[in-house]
Amino acid sequence: MVGRMPSSARVLVVEDDVLIRESVTAALDRAGFATCAVADGSQLPAVAAEFRPDLALLDVTLPGPADGFGLARALRRDRDLPVIFLTARDGAADRLAGFGAGADDYVVKPFIVEELVARVRAVLRRLGRLPATLDLGDLKIDEQSAEVVRAGAGLELTATEYRLLAYLAHERGRILSKTQLLTQVWGYDDYDANLVEVHVSALRRKLEEHGPRILHTVRGFGYVLRPIDGAQAA
């Protein structure tokens, strides 16, 4: 079992593939979630009682007597716990079985971990279990109203600039390639990479009208948002 310090939301990961388990927990950690990861459901009731997750990511095919569907039913007997299933089984019958077992979402392997994190965030936000505002030093992003404020001044962003900033903010401190940004913000990875440069430049100009640079270019790798911490912003 892998534990992390408490955060705004706790995510329980049940996955027997060690590489998938570690990559998913690492991505969730970077996004600011608290995580607890186990390889099977043998100790799941005790783990869940101690960790008190806000959401569970469950592999469908697991070692032991209970599969992910059975574990979901057991977890939800005592509490209203949202569940996202992870599985290589993508048939219509499998999906129906998953939603019949109470799934809030169903993610087919292989998947992009950033997309999985976005789905986790979407489920938690829909259920009111995530704060509506990202507080990043002198930068505030209200995800309900899509309003952005820096150093007390409201920023007029286009819809694309807002999506770009929100994604960078959720992945703050992490260098993101142009391909990652194209995939997550535009939904495709085969657009002209210059599209990213144009929007990053426009967003950077608006951010820097009210403070020092926080959106940085890392040559040869991509872009990273490094917010000013509270002490510096004050």
Side-chain angles (χ1 to χ4, degrees):
M1 181 173 68
V2 180
R4 298 291 187 269
M5 294 299 290
S7 176
S8 59
R10 297 177 174 88
V11 180
L12 174 63
V13 181
V14 184
E15 168 62 64
D16 64 322
D17 186 304
V18 64
L19 293 179
I20 295 176
R21 188 169 68 246
E22 290 180 353
S23 65
V24 168
T25 53
L28 290 166
D29 286 345
R30 287 194 303 268
F33 294 101
T35 60
C36 176
V38 295
D40 57 51
S42 59
Q43 303 296 320
L44 196 56
V47 171
E50 178 183 355
F51 183 62
R52 295 180 294 111
D54 296 292
L55 180 144
L57 288 174
L58 301 178
D59 184 16
V60 171
T61 306
L62 291 165
D67 63 8
F69 296 157
L71 293 178
R73 294 187 185 95
L75 285 170
R76 301 189 74 161
R77 270 198 292 267
D78 300 323
R79 57 183 302 182
D80 183 20
L81 182 67
V83 171
I84 297 177
F85 287 118
L86 308 176
T87 179
R89 292 153 51 177
D90 62 351
D94 297 310
R95 291 176 183 271
L96 289 172
F99 287 112
D104 293 270
D105 204 347
Y106 191 100
V107 177
V108 177
K109 301 175 183 177
F111 52 81
I112 299 171
V113 290
E114 290 88 351
E115 179 183 350
L116 177 61
V117 171
R119 287 173 179 258
V120 168
R121 193 178 289 120
V123 169
L124 290 170
R125 187 179 296 117
R126 185 171 69 242
L127 297 174
R129 302 191 185 191
L130 277 185
T133 301
L134 289 173
D135 191 338
L136 308 173
D138 68 347
L139 180 67
K140 319 292 182 188
I141 303 173
D142 187 322
E143 296 195 283
Q144 287 188 333
S145 64
E147 294 179 349
V148 179
V149 174
R150 185 167 192 205
L155 303 187
E156 295 292 332
L157 304 182
T158 67
T160 301
E161 289 167 354
Y162 173 79
R163 291 196 304 271
L164 177 60
L165 178 60
Y167 180 57
L168 287 162
H170 280 294
E171 299 291 335
R172 55 196 175 275
R174 181 184 176 205
I175 300 171
L176 300 168
S177 69
K178 291 178 181 178
T179 298
Q180 286 173 303
L181 293 173
L182 284 168
T183 300
Q184 297 301 316
V185 177
W186 282 270
Y188 300 92
D189 61 5
D190 59 352
Y191 284 170
D192 186 345
N194 289 332
L195 186 68
V196 176
E197 295 178 12
V198 169
H199 283 84
V200 166
S201 296
L203 176 58
R204 181 182 284 148
R205 282 196 301 272
K206 293 179 181 181
L207 289 169
E208 291 179 7
E209 288 176 359
H210 305 286
R213 177 160 297 188
I214 58 174
L215 177 49
H216 303 273
T217 299
V218 182
R219 295 195 180 279
F221 293 94
Y223 304 96
V224 58
L225 187 73
R226 296 193 180 108
I228 298 172
D229 63 30
Q232 289 177 294

